[in-house]
Short mmCIF file of all heavy atoms in Angstrom, two decimals:
data_model
loop_
_atom_site.label_atom_id
_atom_site.label_comp_id
_atom_site.label_asym_id
_atom_site.label_seq_id
_atom_site.Cartn_x
_atom_site.Cartn_y
_atom_site.Cartn_z
N PHE A 1279 150.45 41.75 143.47
CA PHE A 1279 149.99 42.90 142.91
C PHE A 1279 151.06 43.66 142.10
O PHE A 1279 152.26 43.63 142.61
CB PHE A 1279 149.49 43.96 143.97
CG PHE A 1279 148.12 44.35 143.78
CD1 PHE A 1279 147.12 43.50 143.94
CD2 PHE A 1279 147.70 45.69 143.48
CE1 PHE A 1279 145.67 43.88 143.85
CE2 PHE A 1279 146.47 46.06 143.39
CZ PHE A 1279 145.32 45.13 143.62
N PRO A 1280 150.79 44.18 140.92
CA PRO A 1280 151.81 44.87 140.18
C PRO A 1280 152.13 46.21 141.02
O PRO A 1280 151.24 46.61 141.92
CB PRO A 1280 151.14 45.27 138.85
CG PRO A 1280 149.96 44.42 138.72
CD PRO A 1280 149.60 44.13 140.15
N THR A 1281 153.11 47.03 140.86
CA THR A 1281 153.25 48.24 141.42
C THR A 1281 153.14 49.39 140.43
O THR A 1281 153.51 49.28 139.36
CB THR A 1281 154.65 48.33 142.11
OG1 THR A 1281 155.57 47.68 141.30
CG2 THR A 1281 154.52 47.56 143.49
N SER A 1282 152.68 50.52 140.97
CA SER A 1282 152.27 51.61 140.07
C SER A 1282 153.50 52.62 139.91
O SER A 1282 154.28 52.78 140.80
CB SER A 1282 151.13 52.43 140.74
OG SER A 1282 150.97 53.64 140.08
N THR A 1283 153.71 53.01 138.65
CA THR A 1283 154.87 53.77 138.32
C THR A 1283 154.62 55.29 137.98
O THR A 1283 155.52 56.23 138.08
CB THR A 1283 155.67 53.34 137.17
OG1 THR A 1283 154.98 53.29 136.07
CG2 THR A 1283 156.15 51.78 137.47
N VAL A 1284 153.33 55.56 137.75
CA VAL A 1284 153.06 56.93 137.03
C VAL A 1284 152.97 57.96 138.12
O VAL A 1284 152.32 57.81 139.14
CB VAL A 1284 151.85 56.86 136.14
CG1 VAL A 1284 151.26 58.23 135.99
CG2 VAL A 1284 152.22 56.29 134.92
N GLU A 1285 153.47 59.06 137.86
CA GLU A 1285 153.42 60.28 138.67
C GLU A 1285 152.05 60.72 139.00
O GLU A 1285 151.23 60.71 138.18
CB GLU A 1285 154.06 61.39 137.63
CG GLU A 1285 154.67 62.59 138.27
CD GLU A 1285 154.92 63.58 137.05
OE1 GLU A 1285 155.40 63.21 136.09
OE2 GLU A 1285 154.70 64.68 137.40
N GLY A 1286 151.68 61.08 140.23
CA GLY A 1286 150.43 61.50 140.53
C GLY A 1286 149.41 60.35 141.00
O GLY A 1286 148.32 60.50 141.20
N HIS A 1287 150.03 59.20 141.10
CA HIS A 1287 149.32 58.08 141.64
C HIS A 1287 149.87 57.43 142.77
O HIS A 1287 151.08 57.14 142.69
CB HIS A 1287 149.15 56.95 140.49
CG HIS A 1287 148.34 57.38 139.26
ND1 HIS A 1287 147.01 57.50 139.45
CD2 HIS A 1287 148.70 57.68 138.07
CE1 HIS A 1287 146.66 57.86 138.14
NE2 HIS A 1287 147.56 58.13 137.43
N ALA A 1288 149.18 57.31 143.84
CA ALA A 1288 149.81 56.81 145.17
C ALA A 1288 150.02 55.36 145.25
O ALA A 1288 150.98 54.97 145.83
CB ALA A 1288 148.86 57.27 146.26
N GLY A 1289 149.12 54.58 144.57
CA GLY A 1289 149.42 53.13 144.49
C GLY A 1289 148.97 52.38 145.79
O GLY A 1289 149.68 51.78 146.49
N GLN A 1290 147.71 52.49 146.14
CA GLN A 1290 147.17 51.84 147.25
C GLN A 1290 145.64 51.40 147.05
O GLN A 1290 144.90 52.14 146.35
CB GLN A 1290 147.38 52.43 148.57
CG GLN A 1290 146.73 53.91 148.61
CD GLN A 1290 147.11 54.65 149.92
OE1 GLN A 1290 147.79 54.09 150.73
NE2 GLN A 1290 146.62 55.90 150.00
N LEU A 1291 145.22 50.40 147.71
CA LEU A 1291 143.74 50.14 147.83
C LEU A 1291 143.41 50.74 149.21
O LEU A 1291 143.94 50.66 150.28
CB LEU A 1291 143.64 48.59 147.81
CG LEU A 1291 143.71 47.79 146.73
CD1 LEU A 1291 143.42 46.31 146.95
CD2 LEU A 1291 142.88 48.43 145.48
N VAL A 1292 142.13 51.41 149.03
CA VAL A 1292 141.52 52.04 150.35
C VAL A 1292 140.31 51.44 150.59
O VAL A 1292 139.32 51.57 149.82
CB VAL A 1292 141.52 53.60 150.21
CG1 VAL A 1292 140.91 54.19 151.52
CG2 VAL A 1292 142.83 54.26 149.84
N PHE A 1293 140.14 50.68 151.64
CA PHE A 1293 138.84 50.08 151.99
C PHE A 1293 138.15 50.86 153.05
O PHE A 1293 138.88 51.49 153.94
CB PHE A 1293 139.21 48.78 152.56
CG PHE A 1293 139.58 47.66 151.54
CD1 PHE A 1293 141.01 47.54 151.37
CD2 PHE A 1293 138.91 46.81 150.90
CE1 PHE A 1293 141.52 46.63 150.51
CE2 PHE A 1293 139.28 45.90 149.99
CZ PHE A 1293 140.63 45.69 149.70
N GLY A 1294 136.86 50.93 153.00
CA GLY A 1294 136.07 51.58 154.06
C GLY A 1294 134.80 52.00 153.61
O GLY A 1294 134.09 51.30 152.75
N LYS A 1295 134.27 53.07 154.23
CA LYS A 1295 132.82 53.48 153.92
C LYS A 1295 132.75 54.91 153.23
O LYS A 1295 133.50 55.82 153.76
CB LYS A 1295 132.07 53.48 155.27
CG LYS A 1295 131.92 52.25 155.84
CD LYS A 1295 130.46 51.69 156.06
CE LYS A 1295 130.25 50.26 156.21
NZ LYS A 1295 129.00 49.74 156.65
N VAL A 1296 131.97 55.06 152.30
CA VAL A 1296 131.63 56.35 151.73
C VAL A 1296 130.16 56.42 151.70
O VAL A 1296 129.58 55.56 151.06
CB VAL A 1296 132.37 56.47 150.30
CG1 VAL A 1296 131.83 57.91 149.70
CG2 VAL A 1296 133.77 56.58 150.49
N GLN A 1297 129.55 57.53 152.26
CA GLN A 1297 128.15 57.60 152.28
C GLN A 1297 127.47 56.28 152.69
O GLN A 1297 126.39 55.94 152.20
CB GLN A 1297 127.65 57.96 150.81
CG GLN A 1297 128.26 59.17 150.23
CD GLN A 1297 127.71 60.48 150.68
OE1 GLN A 1297 126.48 60.69 150.80
NE2 GLN A 1297 128.60 61.39 151.02
N GLY A 1298 128.04 55.66 153.74
CA GLY A 1298 127.37 54.44 154.21
C GLY A 1298 127.69 53.26 153.49
O GLY A 1298 127.21 52.13 153.78
N ARG A 1299 128.15 53.34 152.29
CA ARG A 1299 128.36 52.19 151.36
C ARG A 1299 129.86 51.65 151.50
O ARG A 1299 130.78 52.41 151.74
CB ARG A 1299 128.32 52.55 149.86
CG ARG A 1299 127.01 53.21 149.46
CD ARG A 1299 125.88 52.25 149.35
NE ARG A 1299 126.10 51.20 148.36
CZ ARG A 1299 125.92 51.24 147.06
NH1 ARG A 1299 125.51 52.29 146.58
NH2 ARG A 1299 126.19 50.15 146.38
N SER A 1300 129.98 50.35 151.50
CA SER A 1300 131.33 49.81 151.71
C SER A 1300 132.01 49.74 150.35
O SER A 1300 131.41 49.26 149.44
CB SER A 1300 131.34 48.44 152.38
OG SER A 1300 130.39 47.56 151.87
N VAL A 1301 133.11 50.36 150.32
CA VAL A 1301 133.81 50.58 149.03
C VAL A 1301 135.39 50.00 149.06
O VAL A 1301 135.91 49.89 150.14
CB VAL A 1301 133.96 52.00 148.60
CG1 VAL A 1301 132.51 52.52 148.40
CG2 VAL A 1301 134.68 52.90 149.62
N VAL A 1302 135.83 49.80 147.86
CA VAL A 1302 137.30 49.57 147.76
C VAL A 1302 137.70 50.56 146.66
O VAL A 1302 137.12 50.59 145.60
CB VAL A 1302 137.64 48.25 147.37
CG1 VAL A 1302 136.96 47.58 146.31
CG2 VAL A 1302 139.27 48.13 147.34
N VAL A 1303 138.70 51.46 147.02
CA VAL A 1303 139.07 52.49 146.09
C VAL A 1303 140.42 52.23 145.75
O VAL A 1303 141.39 51.87 146.48
CB VAL A 1303 139.09 53.88 146.84
CG1 VAL A 1303 139.64 54.95 145.94
CG2 VAL A 1303 137.67 54.20 147.29
N MET A 1304 140.69 52.22 144.32
CA MET A 1304 142.06 52.03 143.83
C MET A 1304 142.67 53.42 143.59
O MET A 1304 142.12 54.18 142.72
CB MET A 1304 142.02 51.47 142.46
CG MET A 1304 141.97 49.88 142.41
SD MET A 1304 142.13 49.37 140.63
CE MET A 1304 143.75 49.51 140.35
N GLN A 1305 143.58 53.78 144.48
CA GLN A 1305 144.32 55.02 144.20
C GLN A 1305 145.60 54.78 143.45
O GLN A 1305 146.51 54.32 143.98
CB GLN A 1305 144.55 55.64 145.70
CG GLN A 1305 144.74 57.11 145.66
CD GLN A 1305 144.91 57.70 147.14
OE1 GLN A 1305 145.14 56.88 148.07
NE2 GLN A 1305 144.78 58.89 147.28
N GLY A 1306 145.32 55.05 142.13
CA GLY A 1306 146.44 54.72 141.17
C GLY A 1306 146.09 53.44 140.54
O GLY A 1306 145.62 52.47 141.11
N ARG A 1307 146.23 53.36 139.18
CA ARG A 1307 145.94 52.30 138.34
C ARG A 1307 147.10 51.75 137.57
O ARG A 1307 148.06 52.48 137.50
CB ARG A 1307 144.71 52.58 137.52
CG ARG A 1307 144.91 53.55 136.48
CD ARG A 1307 144.12 53.32 135.31
NE ARG A 1307 142.69 53.32 135.25
CZ ARG A 1307 141.96 54.21 135.31
NH1 ARG A 1307 142.30 55.42 135.24
NH2 ARG A 1307 140.55 54.06 135.29
N PHE A 1308 147.03 50.56 137.07
CA PHE A 1308 148.20 50.04 136.13
C PHE A 1308 147.78 50.38 134.63
O PHE A 1308 146.70 49.96 134.18
CB PHE A 1308 148.21 48.71 136.39
CG PHE A 1308 148.63 48.39 137.95
CD1 PHE A 1308 147.61 47.87 138.73
CD2 PHE A 1308 149.77 48.74 138.44
CE1 PHE A 1308 147.76 47.69 140.03
CE2 PHE A 1308 149.97 48.56 139.82
CZ PHE A 1308 149.04 48.03 140.58
#
Side-chain angles (χ1 to χ4, degrees):
F1279 239 66
T1281 42
S1282 170
T1283 63
V1284 161
E1285 206 187 318
H1287 292 288
Q1290 58 183 359
L1291 288 183
V1292 183
F1293 291 87
K1295 298 233 159 176
V1296 173
Q1297 305 280 315
R1299 305 281 304 277
S1300 48
V1301 299
V1302 53
V1303 178
M1304 273 186 82
Q1305 203 173 13
R1307 62 147 61 84
F1308 304 104

